[in-house]
Amino acid sequence: MVALIQEGFTQEHITFTTSFAQEHITFATSFAQEHITFATSFAQEHITFATSFAQEQDALAGTAAQADKC
């Protein structure tokens, strides 16, 4: 009888531990994916801004060079 109770307890513990681990894996995977998505978006926004800023600086430098010629 005690062996059956211990076996049942052990099986419930294994089931709980497996479920708990799976939930943590699912959460960690989702959390990592959200961070990857955010980091990618953040990087893309910085690339876009830096490119735009560089183009504006080039345009201003060209305008200044033209003004100096006059």
Side-chain angles (χ1 to χ4, degrees):
M1 179 72 172
V2 172
L4 289 175
I5 292 171
Q6 287 177 333
E7 184 179 329
F9 179 77
T10 300
Q11 189 57 48
E12 286 181 22
H13 190 85
I14 290 169
T15 301
F16 171 78
T17 304
T18 303
S19 174
F20 190 74
Q22 187 58 50
E23 288 177 15
H24 276 72
I25 291 168
T26 300
F27 173 78
T29 303
S30 174
F31 191 74
Q33 187 58 51
E34 288 177 16
H35 276 71
I36 290 168
T37 301
F38 173 78
T40 303
S41 174
F42 191 74
Q44 188 58 51
E45 288 178 14
H46 276 73
I47 291 168
T48 301
F49 173 78
T51 303
S52 175
F53 187 76
Q55 289 171 345
E56 289 177 11
Q57 293 300 308
D58 284 348
L60 289 173
T63 301
Q66 289 289 32
D68 286 343
K69 289 182 181 178
C70 293

